[in-house]
Amino acid sequence: KLTTYPIHHGSPIPMTPIQLTLKKVAVVGGGAAGLVVARELRREGHKVVVFERGAQSGGTWVYSPEIESDPLGLDPTRKIVHSSLYSSLRTNLPREVMGFGDFPFVASGKTDRDSRRFPGHEEVLRYLEDFANEFELHELIRYQTEVSHVGFETQGKWKVKSRRNAGNDGSEFDETYDAVVVCNGHYTEPRIAEIPGIELWPGRQIHSHNYRISEPYQDQVVVLIGSSASAVDICRDLSRSAKEVHVASRSKPEGSFGKQAGYDNLWLHPMIERAHEDGRVTFQDGNMVLAQVILHCTGYKYHFPFLHNIAAVEVDDNRVGPLYKHVFPPALAPGISFVGLPWKVVPFILCELQSRWIAGTLSGRILLPSEEKMMEDIEAFYSKLNAAGVPKRYTHNIGDHQFDYDDWLAAETGSPPIEEWRKGMYRACSLRRRAQPETYRDEWDDDDWISVAYQDFKQYLS
Ligand code: FAD
């Protein structure tokens, strides 16, 4: 146990040294979030066990050609495939922006690696493997071990039950920890569009979670619902094999509907009005197509099937709450915390800052406000969302103020704020992605920011 000074709201409190309390912490999930949580917890001096149900770390970035038995993902007994990656996926952020703060995601220069600025998904997995190797994280991870139960015990202890799923080894563990950090990801449990008449529509429905390659859609007419980054990519990928691709989007302006420039089989429509018994799908502007497939690119739900008897936090219309700054349920803080919930963000750096905050809070080096003050903060945040007409399910969509959020965490943890180049590159990329979805990954005009970033990286690269 070390003696140090506590930090409260970014500034050390002088003259009152404290003893760090080092904890035994369970981390659920070994994706990007779980890895950086493990590093930060260990750096702080905590004892860490990461539970990972897969055979390797990397989470979302572990591509699997396999799809689930229920392609819509509604059957709770289906065999779960964790990752939602499609084969052709390249990152939608430049690699410089994506990387962790002190471990830049630069091209390795090796011939067997993808050196593109927006690399394919395999390169991200290799980067995460490099990260795990560099910080010797594998020794902290129990692979092929799924957490089935997390529950609050008395006196601030947490019960964690888990089961090995390797071969015939179904060993079960029943353990007690001082704290639990939840990093199970939120791109696995599909959210489905509600379509009038769908019960009698005779075609095939699938969620983008189970889309991998275009070939199975050869010569078919597909209606794709959505306008997210995945929808934008998948409709183009599909158009290589499908006979026709019709994208139904809620959020596109009037003038953008119709056949898409550069394609002879890709159309944009307003939302679906109804699906019919004879296979037709009609759109809100009165147009209709005879379709074989409806592909829902409609996002995901937060899902924590292992949380038991924890009334202090629940999922309501995809709001996980109440959570102070998207991380701590005030009634149980800092014993249980959630990493990586915000979306439309740059996730790795955000997870890194959240992890540092959790690590420092658990040791007592960083002080949280009282439970009442945290609840007041949450209520004020919810009221603000409400007044602005933001639906509950967008609570964790912090895209527009993500860097303020990151900088708040940075100040709280005594870390440097987000680099100006990272913010500038992110904004430049967002604009390009909207203006030129086909080419934004290979054509750019932010070379000035690239020079600044690589200058900055020198301090971390030997
Ligand atoms: P995950 O990567 O999902 O990891 C969660 C881990 O928890 C998994 O390994 C899982 O096996 C494990 N787990 C779950 N439940 C249990 C349990 N009960 N017991 C034990 N283990 C469990 N981000 C970018 O920065 N750039 C991009 O270009 C980008 N593109 C994306 C494209 C797609 C299609 C998707 C879905 C996401 C994309 N993202 C992108 C976001 C991506 O999710 C994050 O980069 C990051 O992978 C999130 O990491 P995570 O650790 O929070 O979750």
Side-chain angles (χ1 to χ4, degrees), residues 79-364:
K79 180 176 180 285
I80 307 275
V81 175
H82 183 79
S83 177
S84 301
L85 292 187
Y86 31 96
S87 171
S88 65
L89 184 136
R90 287 174 67 188
T91 65
N92 54 29
L93 292 174
R95 60 193 308 149
E96 304 88 11
V97 173
M98 259 185 85
F100 293 112
D102 56 1
F103 192 74
F105 185 15
V106 294
S108 75
K110 294 187 186 138
T111 50
D112 64 336
R113 297 284 289 255
D114 184 346
S115 60
R116 291 174 296 178
R117 193 172 179 221
F118 293 74
H121 56 81
E122 300 89 345
E123 175 69 9
V124 183
L125 183 61
R126 303 277 300 267
Y127 166 73
L128 291 174
E129 281 164 0
D130 291 345
F131 180 81
N133 289 333
E134 173 72 19
F135 298 102
E136 299 177 357
L137 302 176
H138 292 295
E139 63 199 38
L140 305 178
I141 307 175
R142 281 195 211 156
Y143 290 106
Q144 292 182 283
T145 308
E146 175 157 8
V147 171
S148 54
H149 172 104
V150 170
F152 185 61
E153 290 190 322
T154 49
Q155 292 159 345
K157 296 284 180 191
W158 294 83
K159 168 80 73 192
V160 176
K161 294 186 191 171
S162 60
R163 182 191 305 192
R164 290 266 300 157
N165 57 19
N168 292 330
D169 181 1
S171 341
E172 299 198 355
F173 302 90
D174 188 338
E175 297 164 296
T176 300
Y177 286 84
D178 300 318
V180 176
V181 187
V182 178
C183 311
N184 66 326
H186 49 89
Y187 294 108
T188 299
E189 194 67 18
R191 164 190 280 278
I192 303 296
E194 283 172 21
I195 305 171
I198 197 71
E199 318 73 44
L200 298 176
W201 184 75
R204 199 156 55 93
Q205 292 188 76
I206 162 172
H207 188 276
S208 56
H209 176 61
N210 288 306
Y211 178 84
R212 299 287 179 270
I213 50 175
S214 67
E215 284 73 7
Y217 304 88
Q218 190 79 41
D219 300 329
Q220 303 207 320
V221 176
V222 182
V223 172
L224 180 152
I225 308 171
S227 49
S228 63
S230 299
V232 171
D233 278 352
I234 292 175
C235 70
R236 287 170 172 80
D237 195 50
L238 260 177
S239 72
R240 296 184 304 116
S241 298
K243 185 173 166 202
E244 295 176 11
V245 182
H246 297 270
V247 179
S249 171
R250 202 186 295 283
S251 53
K252 288 286 186 287
E254 272 290 314
S256 55
F257 298 128
K259 199 181 236 181
Q260 296 301 285
Y263 296 85
D264 58 9
N265 64 346
L266 179 61
W267 286 264
L268 186 60
H269 301 269
M271 261 317 279
I272 295 176
E273 187 183 64
R274 189 168 192 86
H276 303 264
E277 224 173 311
D278 58 6
R280 281 177 308 133
V281 174
T282 44
F283 301 97
Q284 282 169 352
D285 60 1
N287 281 324
M288 70 97 185
V289 294
L290 191 60
Q292 283 92 44
V293 181
I294 294 180
L295 176 52
H296 297 248
C297 295
T298 38
Y300 296 87
K301 297 188 235 173
Y302 295 101
H303 189 50
F304 310 102
F306 45 83
L307 291 187
H308 291 282
N309 306 324
I310 304 177
V313 56
E314 58 175 29
V315 185
D316 174 17
D317 190 17
N318 231 25
R319 167 184 286 174
V320 188
L323 290 182
Y324 179 56
K325 309 289 182 197
H326 307 275
V327 172
F328 291 113
L332 298 169
I336 188 164
S337 51
F338 295 77
V339 172
L341 298 191
W343 51 281
K344 283 223 168 146
V345 297
V346 179
F348 292 7
I349 190 84
L350 179 143
C351 292
E352 181 173 357
L353 290 165
Q354 288 182 329
S355 310
R356 202 164 292 152
W357 188 38
I358 293 165
T361 303
L362 283 171
S363 68

Side-chain angles (χ1 to χ4, degrees), residues 42-102:
R42 187 165 62 184
R43 274 185 172 169
E44 187 78 12
H46 300 295
K47 196 164 177 297
V48 190
V49 176
V50 179
F51 294 85
E52 170 49 56
R53 68 180 171 192
Q56 66 183 111
S57 53
T60 283
W61 298 100
V62 181
Y63 173 78
S64 166
E66 209 185 334
I67 62 167
E68 297 180 346
S69 47
D70 173 7
L72 257 190
L74 296 178
D75 177 359
T77 65
R78 73 196 186 280
K79 180 176 180 285
I80 307 275
V81 175
H82 183 79
S83 177
S84 301
L85 292 187
Y86 31 96
S87 171
S88 65
L89 184 136
R90 287 174 67 188
T91 65
N92 54 29
L93 292 174
R95 60 193 308 149
E96 304 88 11
V97 173
M98 259 185 85
F100 293 112
D102 56 1

